[in-house]
């Protein structure tokens, strides 16, 4: 029977303290993310008992309600019933007292607000690019053929002009005129600006002031445009204040665009690109120096980060790696998570004689292995019985160590599931598949032999 999302919307809003207690709302792949003015008045148990709610989390300065793959339906229903709380779909973390002064919480809030809106498009583009790689690797298409060029461009377009996509969402997040932010991103990605990086033999200047350009311009860059939006949030209000209404509509946008673009070109861009390079090379150096330990710890802790939504803090680093290095080495290390989660669910499905547990395990396994969504399994089964979660983390750790020791990298963002496994192989190579197999086998055997028994259901 179809769920009554309208009823659920009213129950959720009432349970979190009503519209007056909600500063903002957005959602990710599986969670409603509320920014509440006072989290202390919310009864977590009451929220958790609402039909359709899997789990409740306090993390990243947000009150997170895990719904699962149907989270979009819940979000849309709340938006339809309570449009006054949506604030354009963005969380205003600054309004929530709980987030004040918590730098890491606010950072994660900014990252999710900027990257989440277009991550689906980015994943789709990454998969198309992976298909092009598969066609080339398996000899199905000649890389010189027009078919390959077109297919590759479909996948590569968003990645090449990533600063423009980021400009819009960052502009919304920092509450500035996002089209000015987009205009600055387009300026940085303009072919003439890209050409500056290879001409003038390092003597680029703007009215005599030296201009330091990255080797390939600002195409594919991440951090510069995000910092540009933050800079714009300081410049734009200043020009809005100093001009009278009669000329504000003309002069304020022009001067905001000009000053922000110039400061980005001369200061923000070069500094942020340098810092991004330091971060990428620093992590790479650590992984090269101790890949076994680094890969084991990073991958083993990745599921823990997912629980609290803290894994989003790594997204800018991953995106920056793509632009700075041309590849990323962090995502391949954490590749075992979805597969290990599904393996745990399969073990519970086969071992349990409880009909309800079998149904839950089947749904969670499908979510992890087919949809690439792990939260329903993590909250609904693994954390609930504890031991499966421990087994899964150790399996992920071994897989991460294998990927790190063998220096596995990938140049595209991929959704990891059983369906996309051929693309994972094409993009990352055989050692990534070995890591996946190790994660699956360890998680399945460990859960079946030690991690789960039906007696745990009664104890829980």
């Amino acid at each position: 029977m179809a769920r009554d999302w309208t009823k659920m919307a009213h129950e959720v809003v009432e349970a979190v303290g009503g519209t007056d207690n909600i500063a903002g709302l957005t959602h990710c792949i599986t969670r409603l993310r509320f920014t509440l003015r006072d989290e202390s008045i919310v009864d977590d148990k009451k929220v958790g008992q609402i039909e359709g709610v899997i789990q409740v989390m306090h993390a990243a300065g947000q009150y997170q309600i895990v719904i699962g793959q149907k989270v979009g339906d819940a979000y849309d229903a709340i938006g339809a019933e309570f449009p006054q709380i949506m604030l354009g779909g963005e969380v205003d973390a600054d309004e929530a007292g709980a987030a004040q002064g918590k730098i890491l919480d606010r950072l994660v809030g900014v990252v999710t607000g900027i990257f989440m809106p277009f991550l689906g498009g980015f994943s789709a583009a990454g998969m198309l690019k992976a298909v092009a790689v598969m066609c080339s690797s398996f000899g199905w298409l000649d890389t010189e053929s027009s078919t390959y060029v077109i297919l590759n461009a479909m996948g590569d377009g968003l990645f090449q002009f990533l600063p423009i996509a980021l400009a819009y969402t960052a502009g919304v997040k920092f509450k500035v005129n996002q089209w000015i932010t987009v205009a600055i991103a387009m300026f940085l990605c303009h072919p003439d600006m890209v050409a500056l990086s290879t001409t003038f033999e390092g003597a680029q200047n703007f009215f005599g002031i030296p201009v330091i350009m990255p080797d390939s311009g600002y195409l594919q860059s991440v951090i510069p445009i995000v910092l540009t939006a933050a800079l714009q949030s300081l410049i734009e209000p200043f020009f809005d204040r100093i001009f009278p209404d009669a000329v504000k509509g003309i002069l304020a946008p022009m001067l905001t665009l000009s000053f922000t673009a110039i400061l980005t070109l001369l200061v923000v861009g070069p500094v942020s690109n340098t810092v991004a390079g330091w971060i990428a090379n620093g992590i790479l150096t650590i992984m090269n120096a101790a890949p076994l330990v680094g890969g084991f710890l990073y991958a083993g802790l990745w599921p823990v980060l997912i629980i609290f939504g803290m894994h989003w803090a790594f997204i800018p680093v991953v995106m920056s790696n793509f632009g700075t290095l041309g590849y990323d080495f962090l995502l391949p290390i954490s590749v075992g998570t979805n597969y290990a989660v599904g393996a745990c669910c399969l073990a519970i499905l086969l071992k349990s004689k409880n009909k309800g547990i079998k149904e839950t395990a089947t749904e969670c396994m499908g979510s992890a292995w087919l949809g690439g969504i792990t939260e329903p399994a993590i909250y609904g089964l693994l954390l609930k019985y504890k031991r499966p979660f421990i087994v899964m983390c150790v399996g992920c750790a071994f897989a991460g160590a294998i990927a790190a020791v063998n220096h596995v990298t990938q140049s595209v963002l991929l959704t990891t599931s059983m369906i996309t496994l051929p693309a994972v192989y094409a993009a990352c190579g055989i050692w990534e598949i070995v890591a996946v197999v190790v994660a699956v086998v360890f998680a399945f055997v460990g859960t079946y032999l030690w991690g789960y028994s039906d007696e745990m259901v009664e104890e829980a």
Side-chain angles (χ1 to χ4, degrees):
M1 185 174 65
R3 177 163 292 129
D4 187 343
W5 296 108
T6 299
K7 178 184 176 185
M8 183 184 185
H10 282 272
E11 290 176 345
V12 167
V13 170
E14 179 185 354
V16 299
T19 57
D20 291 340
N21 195 39
I22 301 174
L25 170 64
T26 187
H27 76 90
C28 58
I29 297 174
T30 58
R31 314 178 193 195
L32 292 172
R33 292 172 174 261
F34 287 91
T35 299
L36 302 179
R37 294 185 170 89
D38 184 1
E39 288 189 17
S40 66
I41 68 173
V42 183
D43 184 345
D44 289 353
K45 184 177 181 180
K46 181 178 178 181
V47 177
Q49 291 174 342
I50 296 174
E51 184 180 357
V53 172
I54 297 174
Q55 182 65 281
V56 172
M57 296 294 300
H58 297 259
Q62 298 171 332
Y63 189 83
Q64 302 178 10
I65 301 178
V66 183
I67 303 295
Q69 292 174 296
K70 293 289 188 178
V71 67
D73 293 329
Y75 178 82
D76 291 341
I78 294 174
E81 296 297 307
F82 307 98
Q84 68 270 31
I85 70 173
M86 302 308 285
L87 300 178
E90 287 298 314
V91 172
D92 183 5
D94 293 337
E95 291 187 25
Q100 293 296 333
K102 297 183 180 178
I103 296 176
L104 186 58
D105 284 351
R106 296 180 68 180
L107 172 63
V108 173
V110 169
V111 170
T112 55
I114 292 174
F115 286 91
M116 194 64 226
F118 74 93
L119 195 60
F122 200 88
S123 297
M127 285 305 303
L128 273 176
K129 191 169 175 62
V131 169
V133 172
M134 288 173 58
C135 291
S136 171
S137 301
F138 299 152
W140 300 336
L141 285 176
D142 185 347
T143 56
E144 301 297 323
S145 69
S146 59
T147 301
Y148 174 85
V149 171
I150 292 171
L151 183 61
N152 185 65
M154 284 183 195
D156 204 37
L158 178 57
F159 183 65
Q160 285 291 325
F161 298 101
L162 182 58
I164 297 174
L166 285 172
Y168 184 86
T169 56
V172 171
K173 184 62 185 177
F174 285 102
K175 297 183 178 179
V176 295
N177 185 328
Q178 58 265 35
W179 293 111
I180 291 180
T181 321
V182 168
I184 296 169
M186 290 179 171
F187 150 68
L188 295 174
C189 295
H190 194 283
D192 288 347
M193 294 301 297
V194 175
L196 278 180
S197 61
T198 57
T199 56
F200 296 97
E201 298 181 353
Q204 301 95 330
N205 70 87
F206 180 72
F207 288 111
I209 303 174
V211 174
I212 302 174
M213 290 291 295
D215 291 340
S216 58
Y218 288 95
L219 291 174
Q220 304 181 11
S221 63
V222 173
I223 298 178
I225 196 61
V226 173
L227 295 181
T228 294
L231 175 65
Q232 184 184 339
S233 70
L234 302 176
I235 293 175
E236 187 172 281
F238 171 75
F239 287 121
D240 282 342
R241 284 195 305 269
I242 65 173
F243 290 111
D245 291 341
V247 295
K248 180 189 297 185
I250 299 174
L251 295 179
M254 181 190 72
L255 291 175
T256 297
L257 172 60
S258 302
F259 275 79
T260 308
I262 291 170
L263 287 174
T264 296
L265 182 66
L266 299 179
V267 181
V268 173
V271 171
S272 59
N273 258 345
T274 300
V275 172
W278 288 346
I279 293 173
N281 290 322
I283 298 176
L284 187 59
T285 299
I286 294 172
M287 285 297 180
N288 286 334
L292 182 65
V293 176
F296 188 90
L297 292 177
Y298 179 83
L301 290 173
W302 188 253
V304 180
L305 296 176
I306 291 176
I307 292 174
F308 299 103
M310 303 302 291
H311 59 302
W312 284 103
F314 288 87
I315 295 299
V317 179
V318 169
M319 299 289 198
S320 181
N321 286 344
F322 284 136
T324 304
L325 303 174
Y327 60 86
D328 175 62
F329 52 89
L330 292 176
L331 287 179
I333 294 174
S334 62
V335 72
T337 305
N338 290 8
Y339 301 104
V341 168
C344 289
C345 294
L346 177 60
I348 294 172
L349 169 65
L350 296 178
K351 189 173 184 180
S352 178
K353 294 181 173 59
N354 183 302
K355 182 179 178 182
I357 294 297
K358 282 181 171 292
E359 291 177 354
T360 301
T362 301
E363 293 173 359
C364 291
M365 181 179 66
S367 176
W369 273 0
L370 301 180
I373 306 298
T374 58
E375 278 90 341
I378 289 176
Y379 294 119
L381 283 177
L382 309 191
L383 274 178
K384 189 174 184 179
Y385 304 115
K386 299 181 179 63
R387 283 188 183 183
F389 185 79
I390 295 172
V391 171
M392 182 266 295
C393 287
V394 176
C396 291
F398 281 120
I402 291 171
V405 167
N406 290 282
H407 306 290
V408 179
T409 63
Q410 65 185 73
S411 58
V412 295
L413 182 66
L414 295 172
T415 299
T416 50
S417 69
M418 288 299 184
I419 296 174
T420 63
L421 206 53
V424 172
Y425 168 73
C428 304
I430 188 62
W431 280 111
E432 189 78 330
I433 302 303
V434 172
V436 168
V437 172
V438 168
V440 169
V441 171
F442 188 96
F444 177 83
V445 174
T447 301
Y448 194 90
L449 296 181
W450 177 79
Y452 175 81
S453 67
D454 280 342
E455 287 76 14
M456 294 178 178
V457 178
E458 297 178 6
E459 294 175 4

